[in-house]
Amino acid sequence: MTWPSRSRLHAKARSILLRARLAARRVLAPRVLSGPLSKSANTLAGCEHRSWKMADVPNGEQGCGSPLELFKNIAAQGELVRALKARNAAKDEIDSAVKMLLSLKMSYKAATGEDYKADYPPGDPAPGSDSGLDATEAGEDFVDPWTVQTSSAKGIDYDKLIVRFGSSKIDEELINRIERATGQRPHHFLRRGIFFSHRDMHQILDAYENKKPFYLYTGRGPSSEAMHVGHLIPFIFTKWLQDVFNVPLVIQMTDDEKYLWKDLTLDQAYGYAVENAKDIIACGFDIKKTFIFSDLDYMGMSPGFYKNVVKIQKHVTFNQVKGIFGFTDSDCIGKISFPAIQAAPSFSNSFPQIFRDRTDVQCLIPCAIDQDPYFRMTRDVAPRIGYPKPALLHSTFFPALQGAQTKMSASDPNSSIFLTDTAKQIKTKVNKHAFSGGRDTIEEHRQFGGNCDVDVSFMYLTFFLEDDDRLEQIRKDYTSGAMLTGELKKELIEVLQPLIAEHQARRKEVTDEIVKEFMTPRKLSYDFE
Amino acid sequence: MTWPSRSRLHAKARSILLRARLAARRVLAPRVLSGPLSKSANTLAGCEHRSWKMADVPNGEQGCGSPLELFKNIAAQGELVRALKARNAAKDEIDSAVKMLLSLKMSYKAATGEDYKADYPPGDPAPGSDSGLDATEAGEDFVDPWTVQTSSAKGIDYDKLIVRFGSSKIDEELINRIERATGQRPHHFLRRGIFFSHRDMHQILDAYENKKPFYLYTGRGPSSEAMHVGHLIPFIFTKWLQDVFNVPLVIQMTDDEKYLWKDLTLDQAYGYAVENAKDIIACGFDIKKTFIFSDLDYMGMSPGFYKNVVKIQKHVTFNQVKGIFGFTDSDCIGKISFPAIQAAPSFSNSFPQIFRDRTDVQCLIPCAIDQDPYFRMTRDVAPRIGYPKPALLHSTFFPALQGAQTKMSASDPNSSIFLTDTAKQIKTKVNKHAFSGGRDTIEEHRQFGGNCDVDVSFMYLTFFLEDDDRLEQIRKDYTSGAMLTGELKKELIEVLQPLIAEHQARRKEVTDEIVKEFMTPRKLSYDFE
């Protein structure tokens, strides 16, 4: 069964999946905000569960309208001028390149009414984009690795994000193709639009169908020992990808990043990396096909990693990371150069133990959409250093218990369900803290029904209840008022309790030796020459 | 025999060493400029022979006059505010720290008449400085790892540089102490003021006298295969230090830096590192006491190096490297973060193979003065990450054949004597290109004498002719006119030809296996627990 694109929906037949999908999309965008949670500019959820780190700039992969074309030409011409200067080219040659650059910038200003600014492509979506969204509105949301904000009460609009980030929607056709290629039913994260956007996934499927190798890369920033269910989303999906495609997987623990950003010692950051690795391993990854690495550790063990880091660092300026990640002059040079370290595992020769000297094995990165800026940067650099661009699969954000527009925080145990919670804690948290879409009184609820679009318990069910029919039944019953809030919460508790208990049981089996083996640079069950 | 400080000179007895010393100092500062070489702002020599890379800011280790004290307090207060913000301290606490910061800045403006600017301490030399130099003039020279410039026809004034950099003069007392401690006659580079400045050398001697360990660290940026005699200065001196102190030595080949700054591939940069290592080894270093490493190689082999790099990178902001090295927003993030990589070998736990987990073994760095900005930064960071500050010994710049105010260039074979030159090439180059302090005609020369202060052949003799008496005789004879330019050049040729020939013979013996062993991370002949 596959997921239809919105334009081709037939109201009845596919209503359950559509609604589940829309609910997942609205996870951060409840249409109705009330009481103290309503603000004109909301800081949204998901800030804490994101593996690595980033900031958004409307980047330019989305087509070639005239201003965008000019923008790209200016960037290319700028590179040329820099290259000429770097190699001390003849003055004439440099002068003529500079003249061309200035003339392009004048054309750009004439076309857009604004000065050219590196890394800030023209705001309009490319002509021919089928989103139908208002381009001027599209600039208002803010998504980067540290902050997710919107000035709209509707919250983040993921369709707009696709346009602004220049990625592609995961549509029915792509989901069908994944099903055909793998012979497996697409994961409910795909069917329900939780993984909603991609870059070059068709290329990956081309490779797969032509028996060419590719590999998976994902990661986590280990800022504390405490992981919650939201942190598992990319790993649950990556595990599924590994199973259906049977490919090598590398998982980066950015303990160096956490050391740089947080008030941690190196040993603490590394300690968290190892502890978090246990939770990741407990997702069921195949030890013969998976390499987990701490940056602090692996940098000193790999003949290939640092070389790629330096290559990337040579091809990215401070202006660029300033534009992409919002760094300032007061940021430490570790932060400023870090993006290259998250980029490097996108290239197969960062792992000579696995891929030997192969530089051409393409990488597929499943991650939350906030990590995309790192990989837009990576994709920009890749061809300039002779490597294939990594492909991506993007997920939506996972909501906090208090509601999609509040921020999850590892320091607030009530903001999410943690992987260490007992059955009793889960019950209490859901009952006490899960933001409800129900009415104020039972009478009103029975009469007018509840609102699944803002109900966090229902949102969590779209992530964790695999049974499509049951999910649709719950949605209908809650919306009609037949199901009360307490009953809905009970459904979620009954899904979460065994899920967490099973995770805890699997994690218990993960010994230090097993972690050590996962984290040892080694050949995996694949032969590369 | 030791070198007197200038203030205690007795004209006669020590005239030869004084004059040699002054000549060495004037290497970049000819008092008489004539013809096409005279410019109001000269780009001086030495830019090409410098091992690593840097830029100058008058930094603040030179005392504690009131504006400087305020400057330091502001910097410390600024750090405090940053730290409070980073750990999300209470708003009250942050506000009060910010208030204090603003009040300090107001006091600073009142005291200096200028706004506080991070990394730009007040220009005045500290009260009590015995330099007697005009402080306003002191700001005019410019020395950084890429550029050496002065607006004065007198060229770089090394005494002023000491004041501006906040380092200490290598005076008679220190040279005496080195002689007493080691029981060895001080190297002629010390006696003649070629190594003229230091930081904390007395601390190193304290350690040595108390049988506490220290180690040496120097390096080279391998930008091409071609090395010239000037490149050997720090290595010749380091070899002497290793011999007389009997301590471990690490030599960094910054092939990553050269890859970042030059139009080179990683393989080329690494190749140059290996080729240059052969010339360095040919200086006679003890294989049991010396570890030579390429950054590109060693970063992926050491459990300690990257950890120290990240530690340093966390404690240096872009503002700081902008101030120290003159980086701009258009520089690549590799350049911006590179200073941490040159800093890291200053800390002993970057070399666990040699020092185990010891973090307290102090480092002594012999280098040309232009490398000092890297190590001012390092010394600033060291106490904040719990490590001892490295000590330094600074050399003057080595002049180009065409005159001290011209730039040596590896791409101009006539700008210096290269280590690959034949006896015939040496003879031709010296005769044809060495800038002469002689008169236009033999008659005039006999009558008025030559000028050793601007004569490059004489300058080279101060570097390479070890016999003090002979050097003094040459100086007298050339100055009086008894010795003609051709005869002076012959003296130099006769010193350089065997020196280069012997170097070439020793280099021939350096097999790939020997290089490999020098470059293998390993325990040296010293036991550390």
Side-chain angles (χ1 to χ4, degrees), chain A residues 256 259 306 314 319 322 329, chain B residues 256 259 306 314 322 329:
Chain A
D256 49 354
Y259 169 76
Y306 180 59
K314 181 173 181 168
N319 263 325
K322 202 162 69 168
D329 289 12
Chain B
D256 49 355
Y259 168 75
Y306 179 59
K314 181 173 181 168
K322 203 161 71 165
D329 291 11

Side-chain angles (χ1 to χ4, degrees), chain B residues 163-180:
Chain B
V163 174
R164 283 179 51 220
F165 280 22
S167 63
S168 305
K169 194 184 275 201
I170 294 182
D171 57 12
E172 183 179 9
E173 187 201 334
L174 178 60
I175 297 175
N176 282 338
R177 193 176 169 197
I178 293 172
E179 181 161 23
R180 279 198 311 275

Side-chain angles (χ1 to χ4, degrees), chain A residues 394-413:
Chain A
H394 299 122
S395 74
T396 59
F397 303 120
F398 188 78
L401 270 180
Q402 282 73 14
Q405 76 290 359
T406 63
K407 191 175 164 175
M408 265 192 296
S409 161
S411 61
D412 177 3

Side-chain angles (χ1 to χ4, degrees), chain B residues 376-409:
Chain B
R376 286 208 300 277
M377 184 198 89
T378 309
R379 287 168 55 87
D380 179 53
V381 169
R384 292 190 283 140
I385 56 177
Y387 297 149
K389 293 181 179 188
L392 286 125
L393 290 169
H394 299 123
S395 75
T396 58
F397 304 118
F398 188 78
L401 271 178
Q402 282 73 11
Q405 75 291 358
T406 63
K407 191 175 164 175
M408 266 190 298
S409 162

Side-chain angles (χ1 to χ4, degrees), chain B residues 427 430-432 434 436-439 441-442 445-446 449-450 452 455-458 461 465 470-471 473-497:
Chain B
K427 190 178 169 185
V430 172
N431 281 331
K432 213 165 154 185
S436 170
R439 300 287 172 171
T441 65
I442 292 185
H445 191 86
R446 291 284 187 214
C452 285
D455 191 286
V456 170
S457 299
F458 185 76
L461 284 171
L465 175 58
R470 182 72 199 128
L471 184 65
Q473 194 58 51
I474 291 169
R475 193 197 59 73
K476 276 186 182 158
D477 290 351
Y478 194 64
T479 307
S480 72
M483 179 179 268
L484 296 177
T485 293
E487 291 162 337
L488 172 61
K489 290 192 168 189
K490 189 157 171 282
E491 294 279 347
L492 176 62
I493 291 162
E494 281 169 4
V495 166
L496 285 180
Q497 280 176 337

